[in-house]
Every structure is written in C-alpha cells, then in structure tokens.
Amino acid sequence: MSAALAGGRIRRLTPVLLPLLILVMLVGLVFVLRPNTMSYMGLNLLLKLSVPLIFAALSQMLIISQGDLDLSTGAYVGFVTCISAVYLADQPILGWSILIGSVLLYGLVGLVTWLRRLPSIVVTLGMSFVWLGLALFILPSPGGQAPDWLVALPRLRPAFMPFPIWTAIVCVIVLEFGLMRSSAGVVLRGAGGNPQAMVRAGWSVAGLRAIAYLLAGVCAMISGLLLSGLTTSGAPNIAPSYTLLSIASVILGGGAFVGGIVSPFGAVVGAITLTLVSSVLTFLHVPSVWQIGAQGGLLILVLLLRGLLKGDDQ
C-alpha cells in the first residue's frame, strides 16, 4: 500500500521533478565543460540572460492558467525596451504612464476575449503586431539609453548568491504562495480550469481573467525592463523568440494547455533550463542555427518522458 502511495506521489511530482533533474544535469555538464563557471561571477554571467526570460515565462504561465496562449509576449517585451530606452531616463512620468497604460491594455484583452468569446491566439497575435508597430514608431532602429538605475539593477552583487538565483528564488516564493497556496490564487486558477463552476459559485470570470491578464502584463513589463537594463538600450525586435520560449518554459515545467494546471516553480526551472541549453551548445561549438532546434527537441523529449512516467498511453 505504501509503495502504491509512494508511486502515486512520484507520478504527481513527475512534471516538476523531471525538468529539475534535467536542469541539474545541465548545470553539472556546464561545470565539466567550463570549471571556471563554478563561482559567484561565473554563475552570474551564465544565468544573467535567464532573468528576463523567467518573467516572460511567468507572464505566459498566468495566461496559460486561464486556458489561453499569449502570442504577443515577445513583441510586448521589445515594446517595453523601446519605452525604457527612449523615455524612462529623460521623461520618466511619460514613460511610466505609457507602461501603465500598456499593462491596463493587457487586462482589457483578457476581458474582451472572455466577453466576446474570442480565441486568445488570434487576439494576442493581432496585439503582437500592435506592440511591434508602436515600438517601431517610438524607436525605428535599435538604440536609446536605458536609465542608470535600470542598467545597475542586473549588476547587483547580493550576498551568498548571484542576482539571477536570488531573483528566481523570490519569484518562486511569491508566486507559489500567491497563486498556488492562497485562496485568491485558487480562485484565479479556477477561472481557467473550470469557469462554469466559478460562475455558479458567484465569481465574475471576466473580472478574474482581467486580473490574470493584468498580472501577466506586469510580469512581461518587468521582463522588458530587465532586458533593457542588460542591453542598456532598446530594440523593437530584440525578443521575438521570447513568445515561444516562454510557452516552452511553462510546458517544460509541468504546465498544461487545459487551464488551471501550472507551476511557478516549474516555469522558472524551465526558463533557466532553456537558457542553459543555449550555453551548453555554445560551449560544445554547436552552430547557433541548431540551438533553437535543440531547445525544441528537449521540450519534446521531456513531454515524452513525462507521458511514459505517468503511464499515459494517449
């Protein structure tokens, strides 16, 4: 009996444990290939590019928790880098006003897609062109200058661990308690997992979806700001790959497209794993054109292993 219970518990944890195991293996491989990365500065350089992707993945996770997909994540992140590089340093009030307005527009998209029963894929695909057009209008070519405080943020040297690891830990703690263990988080995920039940319980699904999209917009905005701080500038087409990488991070970390089934811990692990895959392939001198394919292959492998370990024959 105890063996059966243990087996059931392992199967339930498989979606999260599997990407964590792959992440540990990748970190070990990196240390073997480049022993000098096994230091404070080495880990900081290795993981710094994962920080913006972590927030993009968390943004996508909130959308997927509603049973939707956001195909505008990469374009919106590029738009935010342009606002940062053009306005935040010299005209901060205007810059923050635009960013707050864009987050409110994110929430409006969630509201409209529910009220009009529009497919989120189509609406967010359309929004990706809106964000890209606005970004090109504001900053036609890469350039500008991010504010000093934003450039200094990714260069922080906190105690004990590098900034990217602290960021990942804080994100996991905040969202694990806020989304997975609080009553408000259960209600928010319920709007995506079983909206009919939430309506019968007296909740406004439209309002809950608007809140989820608003929070997703906040996470995507932070992603763009951090990316602007890392690059010290802005560019409309700086992050087109973030759309698919953020989706892959959520699914790699145990999320599902059915709504309500997500894991903040898994999404963060997925984002770091996909970042490390690129580093490992670079260390192995694999051409960059193969790296995206390798990340897709890893995602397929994890899904296959997850299905096998869960005994899913579908």
Side-chain angles (χ1 to χ4, degrees):
M1 184 64 180
S2 59
L5 288 174
R9 183 172 298 175
I10 291 175
R11 281 194 293 274
R12 287 194 299 273
L13 293 175
T14 293
V16 175
L17 291 179
L18 192 57
L20 181 61
L21 177 63
I22 293 176
L23 175 61
V24 172
M25 293 170 61
L26 281 173
V27 171
L29 184 56
V30 168
F31 287 165
V32 171
L33 294 172
R34 292 288 189 276
N36 55 352
T37 58
M38 202 182 314
S39 64
Y40 186 100
M41 287 304 297
L43 285 172
N44 192 44
L45 290 172
L46 185 68
L47 299 175
K48 66 178 183 180
L49 290 178
S50 68
V51 178
L53 183 58
I54 286 173
F55 282 96
L58 293 176
S59 170
Q60 192 70 250
M61 180 198 72
L62 287 162
I63 302 293
I64 290 178
S65 75
Q66 301 303 302
D68 292 345
L69 272 181
D70 183 5
L71 298 185
S72 68
T73 302
Y76 181 72
V77 170
F79 166 77
V80 172
T81 66
C82 293
I83 297 297
S84 167
V86 174
Y87 295 118
L88 286 189
D90 299 326
Q91 304 176 70
I93 295 178
L94 176 60
W96 283 113
S97 299
I98 296 174
L99 290 177
I100 292 172
S102 67
V103 170
L104 293 176
L105 186 55
Y106 239 91
L108 184 62
V109 169
L111 188 64
V112 170
T113 52
W114 174 256
L115 292 178
R116 306 303 301 172
R117 300 296 191 271
L118 298 173
S120 63
I121 291 179
V122 176
V123 176
T124 57
L125 179 62
M127 287 304 301
S128 72
F129 294 109
V130 172
W131 297 129
L132 180 60
L134 290 173
L136 287 169
F137 176 76
I138 294 168
L139 190 64
S141 59
Q145 177 60 50
D148 293 339
W149 62 267
L150 196 54
V151 175
L153 187 60
R155 299 176 182 176
L156 289 176
R157 298 187 65 180
F160 307 118
M161 291 180 291
F163 176 73
I165 298 179
W166 276 116
T167 303
I169 292 174
V170 170
C171 286
V172 168
I173 291 174
V174 170
L175 281 170
E176 280 289 340
F177 281 95
L179 185 66
M180 307 303 289
R181 301 183 187 278
S182 69
S183 56
V186 171
V187 170
L188 198 64
R189 286 185 288 120
N194 195 339
Q196 290 77 19
M198 300 309 295
V199 171
R200 287 196 294 272
W203 291 95
S204 168
V205 175
L208 292 171
R209 285 173 56 87
I211 293 172
Y213 271 71
L214 271 174
L215 294 174
V218 171
C219 289
M221 181 187 70
I222 296 173
S223 173
L225 291 175
L226 289 170
L227 186 59
S228 177
L230 279 172
T231 60
T232 71
S233 62
N237 286 306
I238 196 173
S241 62
Y242 272 33
T243 297
L244 294 182
L245 285 176
S246 61
I247 295 172
S249 298
V250 177
I251 302 305
L252 189 66
F257 292 123
V258 295
I261 301 176
V262 292
S263 165
F265 175 78
V268 170
V269 169
I272 297 174
T273 300
L274 291 177
T275 305
L276 282 182
V277 168
S278 296
S279 299
V280 169
L281 294 176
T282 301
F283 294 154
L284 293 173
H285 305 292
V286 176
S288 59
V289 294
W290 291 99
Q291 294 186 10
I292 296 295
Q295 289 171 331
L298 175 65
L299 177 61
I300 294 172
L301 176 64
V302 170
L303 292 178
L304 288 174
L305 289 175
R306 188 192 303 173
L308 288 173
L309 291 174
K310 291 177 67 177
D312 185 3
D313 57 354
Q314 300 296 314

